[in-house]
PDB file of all heavy atoms in Angstrom:
ATOM      1  N   THR A  16     126.899  62.854 160.491  1.00  0.00           N
ATOM      2  CA  THR A  16     126.933  61.516 161.211  1.00  0.00           C
ATOM      3  C   THR A  16     127.377  60.427 160.262  1.00  0.00           C
ATOM      4  O   THR A  16     127.545  59.313 160.668  1.00  0.00           O
ATOM      5  CB  THR A  16     125.486  61.152 161.696  1.00  0.00           C
ATOM      6  OG1 THR A  16     124.654  61.140 160.591  1.00  0.00           O
ATOM      7  CG2 THR A  16     125.054  62.187 162.753  1.00  0.00           C
ATOM      8  N   LEU A  19     131.707  59.883 155.696  1.00  0.00           N
ATOM      9  CA  LEU A  19     132.671  61.035 155.489  1.00  0.00           C
ATOM     10  C   LEU A  19     132.595  62.017 156.614  1.00  0.00           C
ATOM     11  O   LEU A  19     133.673  62.561 157.104  1.00  0.00           O
ATOM     12  CB  LEU A  19     132.214  61.602 154.089  1.00  0.00           C
ATOM     13  CG  LEU A  19     133.078  62.833 153.650  1.00  0.00           C
ATOM     14  CD1 LEU A  19     134.590  62.610 153.647  1.00  0.00           C
ATOM     15  CD2 LEU A  19     132.623  63.113 152.098  1.00  0.00           C
ATOM     16  N   SER A  38     122.067  67.273 161.914  1.00  0.00           N
ATOM     17  CA  SER A  38     121.504  65.949 161.652  1.00  0.00           C
ATOM     18  C   SER A  38     119.948  65.922 161.782  1.00  0.00           C
ATOM     19  O   SER A  38     119.347  66.839 162.362  1.00  0.00           O
ATOM     20  CB  SER A  38     122.064  64.968 162.730  1.00  0.00           C
ATOM     21  OG  SER A  38     121.412  63.737 162.720  1.00  0.00           O
ATOM     22  N   ARG A  39     119.332  64.854 161.221  1.00  0.00           N
ATOM     23  CA  ARG A  39     117.864  64.753 161.447  1.00  0.00           C
ATOM     24  C   ARG A  39     117.577  64.253 162.884  1.00  0.00           C
ATOM     25  O   ARG A  39     116.415  64.350 163.325  1.00  0.00           O
ATOM     26  CB  ARG A  39     117.282  63.771 160.415  1.00  0.00           C
ATOM     27  CG  ARG A  39     117.436  64.298 159.061  1.00  0.00           C
ATOM     28  CD  ARG A  39     117.240  63.092 157.984  1.00  0.00           C
ATOM     29  NE  ARG A  39     118.235  62.124 158.193  1.00  0.00           N
ATOM     30  CZ  ARG A  39     118.151  60.876 157.630  1.00  0.00           C
ATOM     31  NH1 ARG A  39     117.139  60.655 156.851  1.00  0.00           N
ATOM     32  NH2 ARG A  39     119.121  59.986 157.835  1.00  0.00           N
ATOM     33  N   LEU A  77     127.106  67.650 153.199  1.00  0.00           N
ATOM     34  CA  LEU A  77     127.315  66.225 152.765  1.00  0.00           C
ATOM     35  C   LEU A  77     126.013  65.470 152.805  1.00  0.00           C
ATOM     36  O   LEU A  77     125.993  64.372 152.317  1.00  0.00           O
ATOM     37  CB  LEU A  77     128.337  65.554 153.773  1.00  0.00           C
ATOM     38  CG  LEU A  77     129.608  66.234 153.956  1.00  0.00           C
ATOM     39  CD1 LEU A  77     130.484  65.419 154.987  1.00  0.00           C
ATOM     40  CD2 LEU A  77     130.438  66.164 152.635  1.00  0.00           C
ATOM     41  N   ARG A  99     118.957  65.960 148.691  1.00  0.00           N
ATOM     42  CA  ARG A  99     120.132  66.860 148.387  1.00  0.00           C
ATOM     43  C   ARG A  99     119.643  68.291 147.969  1.00  0.00           C
ATOM     44  O   ARG A  99     120.191  69.201 148.514  1.00  0.00           O
ATOM     45  CB  ARG A  99     120.924  66.174 147.207  1.00  0.00           C
ATOM     46  CG  ARG A  99     121.635  64.910 147.655  1.00  0.00           C
ATOM     47  CD  ARG A  99     122.278  64.087 146.604  1.00  0.00           C
ATOM     48  NE  ARG A  99     123.169  63.027 147.171  1.00  0.00           N
ATOM     49  CZ  ARG A  99     122.777  61.973 147.750  1.00  0.00           C
ATOM     50  NH1 ARG A  99     121.504  61.595 147.777  1.00  0.00           N
ATOM     51  NH2 ARG A  99     123.563  61.099 148.317  1.00  0.00           N
TER      52      ARG A  99
HETATM   53  N1  NAP B 411     130.979  57.524 150.146  1.00  0.00           N
HETATM   54  C1  NAP B 411     131.175  57.604 148.799  1.00  0.00           C
HETATM   55  O1  NAP B 411     131.800  56.746 148.187  1.00  0.00           O
HETATM   56  C2  NAP B 411     130.609  58.861 148.069  1.00  0.00           C
HETATM   57  C3  NAP B 411     130.965  59.040 146.740  1.00  0.00           C
HETATM   58  C4  NAP B 411     130.466  60.051 145.986  1.00  0.00           C
HETATM   59  C5  NAP B 411     129.719  61.091 146.659  1.00  0.00           C
HETATM   60  N2  NAP B 411     129.472  60.902 147.986  1.00  0.00           N
HETATM   61  C6  NAP B 411     128.536  61.872 148.598  1.00  0.00           C
HETATM   62  O2  NAP B 411     129.178  62.434 149.830  1.00  0.00           O
HETATM   63  C7  NAP B 411     128.220  62.753 150.801  1.00  0.00           C
HETATM   64  C8  NAP B 411     128.628  62.024 152.034  1.00  0.00           C
HETATM   65  O3  NAP B 411     128.831  60.539 151.777  1.00  0.00           O
HETATM   66  P1  NAP B 411     128.827  59.565 152.980  1.00  0.00           P
HETATM   67  O4  NAP B 411     129.487  58.318 152.390  1.00  0.00           O
HETATM   68  O5  NAP B 411     129.386  60.121 154.188  1.00  0.00           O
HETATM   69  O6  NAP B 411     127.239  59.301 153.143  1.00  0.00           O
HETATM   70  P2  NAP B 411     126.465  58.649 154.347  1.00  0.00           P
HETATM   71  O7  NAP B 411     127.384  57.832 155.232  1.00  0.00           O
HETATM   72  O8  NAP B 411     125.306  57.929 153.707  1.00  0.00           O
HETATM   73  O9  NAP B 411     125.985  59.823 155.213  1.00  0.00           O
HETATM   74  C9  NAP B 411     125.060  60.792 154.696  1.00  0.00           C
HETATM   75  C10 NAP B 411     124.342  61.507 155.780  1.00  0.00           C
HETATM   76  O10 NAP B 411     123.317  62.225 155.144  1.00  0.00           O
HETATM   77  C11 NAP B 411     122.203  62.270 156.053  1.00  0.00           C
HETATM   78  N3  NAP B 411     120.986  61.809 155.364  1.00  0.00           N
HETATM   79  C12 NAP B 411     120.663  60.502 154.882  1.00  0.00           C
HETATM   80  N4  NAP B 411     119.451  60.555 154.289  1.00  0.00           N
HETATM   81  C13 NAP B 411     118.996  61.818 154.442  1.00  0.00           C
HETATM   82  C14 NAP B 411     117.708  62.364 154.062  1.00  0.00           C
HETATM   83  N5  NAP B 411     116.758  61.737 153.422  1.00  0.00           N
HETATM   84  N6  NAP B 411     117.604  63.691 154.323  1.00  0.00           N
HETATM   85  C15 NAP B 411     118.662  64.525 154.920  1.00  0.00           C
HETATM   86  N7  NAP B 411     119.753  63.928 155.280  1.00  0.00           N
HETATM   87  C16 NAP B 411     119.889  62.622 155.115  1.00  0.00           C
HETATM   88  C17 NAP B 411     122.472  61.290 157.223  1.00  0.00           C
HETATM   89  O11 NAP B 411     122.728  62.106 158.395  1.00  0.00           O
HETATM   90  P3  NAP B 411     121.639  62.185 159.618  1.00  0.00           P
HETATM   91  O12 NAP B 411     121.104  60.745 159.728  1.00  0.00           O
HETATM   92  O13 NAP B 411     122.457  62.511 160.799  1.00  0.00           O
HETATM   93  O14 NAP B 411     120.679  63.166 159.225  1.00  0.00           O
HETATM   94  C18 NAP B 411     123.698  60.552 156.753  1.00  0.00           C
HETATM   95  O15 NAP B 411     124.596  60.267 157.798  1.00  0.00           O
HETATM   96  C19 NAP B 411     126.841  62.076 150.193  1.00  0.00           C
HETATM   97  O16 NAP B 411     126.071  63.157 149.721  1.00  0.00           O
HETATM   98  C20 NAP B 411     127.313  61.182 149.171  1.00  0.00           C
HETATM   99  O17 NAP B 411     126.312  61.009 148.117  1.00  0.00           O
HETATM  100  C21 NAP B 411     129.853  59.854 148.692  1.00  0.00           C
END
Side-chain angles (χ1 to χ4, degrees):
T16 59
L19 179 49
S38 169
R39 293 166 299 168
L77 303 176
R99 291 170 168 80

